Amino acid sequence: MEDIEAIAVLRDPVRRRLYEYVGAQDHEVSRNEAAEAAGVQRTLAAFHLDRLVEAGLLETVSRRLTGRSGPGAGRPAKLYRRSGEERGVSVPPRDYRTAAGLLAEAAEAAGLDAALADAARRHGAELREQAGGPCGGLEEAAALLERRGYEPRMDGGVLRMRNCPFHALSERFPPLVCGMNLALLEGLLGGSEAVRVRIDARPGWCCVVAEASKNNRD
């Protein structure tokens, strides 16, 4: 399915609510859970969920919810989670991803990690000033990161990001792009004495986390 057709699938308000709910969870979602969250009947939720799967926006896994196996354990349930496939539309068509990949490849080959990090840190600082200056703590940091598309979630005392806006590039050029991302968030959040950022890679999450600075924890 073409990207524009896939995105058009979200035009239906029920379908969009289901997609947003499934995408916001840190676990696979059953039809019953999705239906309850969207306030619709299970059969209607199932129809829209499967339409989202057809569009490549969601993907499915099968698992017994009881945790048991063997005879009498029941049939595996069909569960939904957000697809890792990316969709984007540009009218007229543009191909910025290819340009970004070529630039990243050239930067890595030329050893421009430090120069890229410096540029990212400056850009982050500019974004911080546009947002009104340093954030006062993790709550403000989370709101700022949410607006930038990082989908922050608290995990104990650490703020983790479910979405990396540079995911496709970070898969191909991890040290370069993760270093750039760290520097960008240092610029964005680093002006605050209350928050610091660091690398803490975890599969399925952004490589950068934010936490209260040492002085703010003491």
Side-chain angles (χ1 to χ4, degrees):
M1 182 178 288
E2 295 291 335
D3 284 1
I4 194 168
E5 295 173 330
I7 292 174
V9 167
L10 295 172
R11 181 175 55 187
D12 182 279
V14 173
R15 204 171 289 159
R16 187 165 60 251
R17 288 204 305 273
L18 288 165
Y19 174 76
E20 289 173 349
Y21 178 77
V22 173
Q25 308 312 305
D26 58 3
H27 60 274
E28 291 91 5
V29 175
S30 69
R31 289 173 172 176
N32 287 341
E33 180 184 345
E36 183 177 352
V40 298
Q41 294 294 319
R42 182 183 183 279
T43 52
L44 181 60
F47 169 78
H48 285 304
L49 289 167
D50 288 338
R51 187 73 181 90
L52 290 165
V53 173
E54 291 174 10
L57 298 172
L58 297 181
E59 59 188 23
T60 62
V61 295
S62 295
R63 189 176 71 247
R64 289 186 174 91
L65 298 181
T66 62
R68 296 182 298 165
S69 60
R75 296 175 58 186
K78 189 175 187 180
L79 304 175
Y80 299 83
R81 63 190 179 197
R82 185 168 59 185
S83 171
E85 185 176 354
E86 296 180 11
R87 298 286 189 174
V89 174
S90 176
V91 181
R94 298 287 188 261
D95 191 5
Y96 299 113
R97 180 180 295 183
T98 296
L102 291 172
L103 289 168
E105 184 177 352
E108 187 174 72
L112 297 178
D113 304 58
L116 178 60
D118 286 344
R121 197 173 289 107
R122 288 194 300 272
H123 182 62
E126 292 170 2
L127 294 174
R128 183 183 71 224
E129 292 306 311
Q130 293 171 14
C135 56
L138 286 180
E139 186 173 338
E140 290 183 22
L144 190 54
L145 291 166
E146 186 71 44
R147 292 197 295 272
R148 302 301 305 174
Y150 282 91
E151 298 183 2
R153 300 287 186 274
M154 284 303 301
D155 180 19
V158 176
L159 194 63
R160 298 188 183 276
M161 279 75 88
R162 293 191 66 246
N163 182 54
C164 173
F166 316 109
H167 174 72
L169 285 176
S170 68
E171 291 282 291
R172 295 178 57 192
F173 311 99
L176 180 76
V177 176
C178 290
M180 177 197 75
N181 191 22
L182 175 64
L184 177 68
L185 294 184
E186 284 175 345
L188 183 65
L189 304 176
S192 168
E193 296 182 358
V195 178
R196 74 182 187 102
V197 295
R198 59 182 173 85
I199 294 287
D200 185 10
R202 176 180 292 187
W205 295 77
C206 177
C207 61
V208 181
V209 300
E211 61 186 359
S213 66
K214 186 177 185 301
N215 291 338
N216 203 46
R217 292 197 302 268
D218 293 341

